[in-house]
Amino acid sequence: MYFSVGYVELPVLVMQPYSKTNTTYLYTPSSQRPAWSAVQSITVYSAIQTIQTSLVIYVLALLSFIGWMLMTVFGGIGLVALPIDLIGDWYNRPRPIDLKQFAEKKLQLKKRCEELIQVGKETRDKFRGRPNRFKERRFTNKYKKMILDLEDELQVLNICYKRNQINPLIPWLQLFGGLGAAVIT
């Protein structure tokens, strides 16, 4: 890959003066300046100069490019959050369960659901008597979160019971991806 893309194309501006004597002056910082009174016109054009880089410069540029790409990925989602989330997903991965465990956990979820329904009815009656918008909104948000958590637990429980829907490679890829991201960050 180095031999195919190890070149740098630099845009340059070429200024070529034409003098009365048709001599071209080349000015460098160590040379003596030409007599500008002898210059009749200056031709200016742009060109591309191609230079082959050394292997060290190429590797540094490639690593810099890869670093910027990783920074765009990790910078937007948080450098610390991704490894922690991936390792947490591996730790909390759904594990296959049998029918007896499925029935027990489903009864527990049913009991929690009935408790949430009861709490919702009691609170609705409480706020109907003396309305307080701030407390009611705060309770409603907490109540919605509890219901969503219960729905998530039921979804995970159903996945755990249906063994053929669990792909065993995904949690392990999350673990190794999380460890790799932790090393990078």
Side-chain angles (χ1 to χ4, degrees):
M1 193 162 142
Y2 165 71
F3 295 107
S4 62
V5 287
Y7 294 93
V8 176
E9 293 182 350
L10 297 173
V12 293
L13 193 63
V14 178
M15 301 176 81
Q16 189 172 17
Y18 292 102
S19 66
K20 294 176 187 174
T21 60
N22 286 332
T23 58
T24 302
Y25 295 101
L26 177 63
Y27 172 69
T28 61
S30 62
S31 67
Q32 203 173 22
R33 294 183 181 202
W36 291 109
S37 60
V39 175
Q40 291 178 342
S41 66
I42 296 178
T43 304
V44 179
Y45 60 93
S46 61
I48 304 264
Q49 184 174 0
T50 304
I51 303 171
Q52 184 174 7
T53 61
S54 67
L55 184 62
V56 174
I57 299 295
Y58 174 77
V59 169
L60 287 173
L62 184 66
L63 289 177
S64 175
F65 178 75
I66 291 170
W68 273 105
M69 290 298 111
L70 290 174
M71 185 64 183
T72 58
V73 171
F74 288 121
I77 57 177
L79 292 172
V80 179
L82 181 67
I84 290 173
D85 287 345
L86 288 174
I87 293 170
D89 287 344
W90 172 80
Y91 185 76
N92 297 322
R93 68 190 181 276
R95 294 175 177 89
I97 59 174
D98 60 355
L99 182 61
K100 184 179 177 184
Q101 291 173 334
F102 177 72
E104 289 173 1
K105 291 191 179 202
K106 199 163 186 179
L107 284 174
Q108 290 173 356
L109 289 177
K110 182 180 177 185
K111 184 179 176 185
R112 283 183 47 205
C113 182
E114 290 170 354
E115 290 172 359
L116 279 176
I117 291 171
Q118 185 64 30
V119 168
K121 287 179 182 177
E122 290 173 1
T123 309
R124 181 185 63 193
D125 294 338
K126 176 183 167 185
F127 285 124
R128 207 178 269 171
R130 38 174 210 168
N132 185 344
R133 295 283 182 205
F134 177 72
K135 287 184 180 180
E136 185 176 0
R137 189 177 324 137
R138 188 170 55 180
F139 172 77
T140 304
N141 290 338
K142 286 181 183 179
Y143 190 70
K144 283 180 184 178
K145 185 183 179 327
M146 288 188 287
I147 291 173
L148 290 174
D149 289 344
L150 191 65
E151 288 175 355
D152 289 343
E153 285 184 40
L154 180 63
Q155 185 179 10
V156 169
L157 183 65
N158 286 331
I159 290 173
C160 289
Y161 180 63
K162 298 176 184 176
R163 293 177 190 213
N164 58 352
Q165 290 184 354
I166 299 174
N167 186 351
L169 293 178
I170 292 175
W172 289 101
L173 289 175
Q174 288 175 332
L175 174 67
F176 293 126
L179 291 174
V183 168
I184 290 173
T185 59

